[in-house]
Amino acid sequence: MFNLDSLLRNNIKRLVPYSSARDEFKGEATVYIDANENGYGSPLPVNYNRYPDPLQWKVKYKLAEVKGVPPQNVFLGNGSDEAIDILYRAFCNPGVDNVVLCPPTYGMYEVSANINDVIIRKVSLTDDFQLDIAGLQQAIDENTKLIFICSPNNPTGNSIHRADIELLLNNFDGIVVIDEAYINFSRQKSFIQELTEYPNLVVMQTLSKAWGLAGLRVGMAFASEEIIHVFNKIKPPYNMNQSTQELAFQALDNVTKVNEWIREIVIERDLLSAALEQLPEVLQVYPSDANFILVKTTDAKGIYTYLTTKGIIVRDRSKVELCAGCLRITIGTPAENQLLLEALKTYQPQTEKTVSA
């Protein structure tokens, strides 16, 4: 049975979080001389001399309207990477506890585990990029605190079968983390509506992809109030700056525009996939629920290098497990996608030169 208190590290249970000036006074006042700020303002057109809301409530309330989740169930961080790091620091005792990862998947799960000295157990996806349930059951033990599942998955682009995820949620006593960075482009329903059903569920999303705010680094984690409370204990006091909060708040007013972009990207994804399948260098275009496609080619390294000479940058994933010969291609604008196709049509494979006597 899931028990949050039994999962938490003892030092986190005892932790008294830092209390900032904006934590201690949350109202409105005329004179603020409590936080050692510069009362004269900022040397910029807009003043940023005051510390921001440490819990970003204004943004959370707006986000709650968009996502249909109470603001108390939302954590906002410096990209999803901050949420990943906090999960390790909250639940995994260094050198003792372990995390289960399912490669090929997002690389920061492994990097963050290594930074926090957490043991990694890998259970590779099946040949069709789905969970190996039997392998997962064998890998989990009493020291397994976290399972990370990326759905839609990066770099493969496919969604993980919902029934398999639910099976883990119902039978694993640790935390199941579902990374939904690409959920806006998927046919699969988000798990954020299931928070009341699964106390061991953490869902991560981002404003970097569909919302076009990668430069602002806005990551989101959705979980029970108890887990969000743990996140807020551990995070730095002002982990999201004022300008990011203001710009994210403005962006959340433009749901209609974002939905238009999503529809266009999905259309372009299908068109580009069909066009790539006609090229002799392309062996397979894998189905995608994301804003990118994984493409198996005859020579990933050669094609990648050739495209760079044309000023076109894709991602060579050929050294990633189960992705030999593969390039990951983000769906661009129609003009960008056309430039890619035109360049690939002129690609000539390199052949070994023979030396005559």
Side-chain angles (χ1 to χ4, degrees):
M1 182 178 294
F2 176 77
N3 185 311
L4 181 63
D5 192 64
S6 68
L7 289 176
L8 282 172
R9 292 170 57 184
N10 286 328
N11 64 308
I12 300 301
K13 293 179 189 177
R14 297 190 300 265
L15 178 66
V16 178
Y18 176 78
S19 181
S20 70
R22 293 292 84 83
D23 281 315
E24 295 172 9
F25 179 80
K26 299 180 175 65
E28 296 292 330
T30 304
V31 179
Y32 289 95
I33 50 175
D34 60 339
N36 300 337
E37 301 156 330
N38 186 338
Y40 289 89
S42 306
L44 296 168
V46 177
N47 283 331
Y48 291 105
N49 58 318
R50 301 300 183 187
Y51 285 108
D53 176 3
L55 292 176
Q56 311 97 21
W57 282 115
K58 186 176 179 182
V59 181
K60 287 180 179 178
Y61 275 102
K62 178 64 70 69
L63 193 60
E65 297 175 7
V66 175
K67 298 292 185 178
V69 177
Q72 294 81 7
N73 294 93
V74 181
F75 169 82
L76 294 179
N78 183 14
S80 297
D81 298 337
E82 183 176 10
I84 294 169
D85 181 64
I86 288 176
L87 283 162
Y88 283 119
R89 287 191 282 152
F91 298 106
C92 297
N93 290 288
V96 176
D97 293 325
N98 67 74
V99 58
V100 176
L101 309 180
C102 302
T105 193
Y106 180 45
M108 275 305 296
Y109 310 145
E110 181 170 357
V111 171
S112 191
N114 287 329
I115 291 171
N116 287 282
D117 192 22
V118 175
I119 299 166
I120 299 170
R121 294 184 176 179
K122 295 183 180 180
V123 180
S124 299
L125 297 177
T126 61
D127 290 339
D128 59 348
F129 302 139
Q130 291 297 329
L131 295 178
D132 177 359
I133 295 298
L136 285 168
Q137 291 172 335
Q138 292 178 354
I140 295 168
D141 65 14
E142 65 274 9
N143 292 118
T144 305
K145 296 297 184 67
L146 304 169
I147 300 175
F148 279 93
I149 300 170
C150 190
S151 182
N153 188 42
N154 176 15
T156 61
N158 65 293
S159 294
I160 303 300
H161 294 325
R162 191 177 187 89
D164 289 344
I165 298 175
E166 290 172 343
L167 183 66
L168 289 177
L169 285 166
N170 283 311
N171 293 279
F172 177 53
D173 292 334
I175 304 288
V176 178
V177 186
I178 306 176
D179 189 343
E180 294 185 343
Y182 301 95
I183 194 66
N184 297 96
F185 308 101
S186 174
R187 302 174 185 87
Q188 188 180 74
K189 179 184 174 183
S190 170
F191 268 90
I192 62 172
Q193 303 302 326
E194 310 298 327
L195 295 178
T196 56
E197 299 295 323
Y198 302 108
N200 58 335
L201 170 63
V202 174
V203 180
M204 297 190 303
Q205 293 186 8
T206 180
L207 298 185
S208 294
K209 312 302 181 183
W211 286 85
L213 299 179
L216 293 185
R217 308 303 301 125
V218 181
M220 301 170 281
F222 304 89
S224 67
E225 288 189 46
E226 292 77 13
I227 292 178
I228 296 300
H229 175 69
V230 172
F231 272 70
N232 290 333
K233 282 180 67 175
I234 297 173
K235 78 173 186 68
Y238 301 111
N239 63 321
M240 181 175 288
N241 66 65
Q242 183 63 32
S243 59
T244 294
Q245 292 190 39
E246 291 172 358
L247 291 169
F249 184 83
Q250 294 174 32
L252 290 169
D253 280 329
N254 293 288
V255 175
T256 300
K257 170 55 69 177
V258 172
N259 285 337
E260 289 175 2
W261 285 340
I262 292 169
R263 285 191 291 270
E264 291 178 14
I265 289 169
V266 170
I267 290 171
E268 284 297 312
R269 182 183 69 197
D270 295 340
L271 291 173
L272 182 60
S273 297
L276 288 170
E277 288 174 341
Q278 305 305 312
L279 300 178
E281 294 78 29
V282 173
L283 301 176
Q284 185 174 0
V285 178
Y286 292 97
S288 175
D289 272 346
N291 68 333
F292 62 85
I293 47 179
L294 189 69
V295 182
K296 190 174 183 64
T297 68
T298 55
D299 180 15
K301 183 178 179 181
I303 295 171
Y304 170 84
T305 302
Y306 168 75
L307 289 174
T308 63
T309 67
K310 300 292 185 179
I312 300 172
I313 310 301
V314 296
R315 193 85 186 269
D316 183 357
R317 301 278 78 187
S318 58
K319 295 182 179 180
V320 174
E321 184 174 349
L322 298 180
C323 296
C326 289
L327 297 173
R328 194 192 70 186
I329 302 174
T330 304
I331 308 304
T333 64
E336 290 172 333
N337 297 335
Q338 188 59 39
L339 287 172
L340 169 68
L341 291 170
E342 290 173 357
L344 288 173
K345 288 175 182 177
T346 61
Y347 169 73
Q348 295 294 326
Q350 295 295 314
T351 56
E352 295 183 8
K353 296 180 179 180
T354 58
V355 179
S356 58

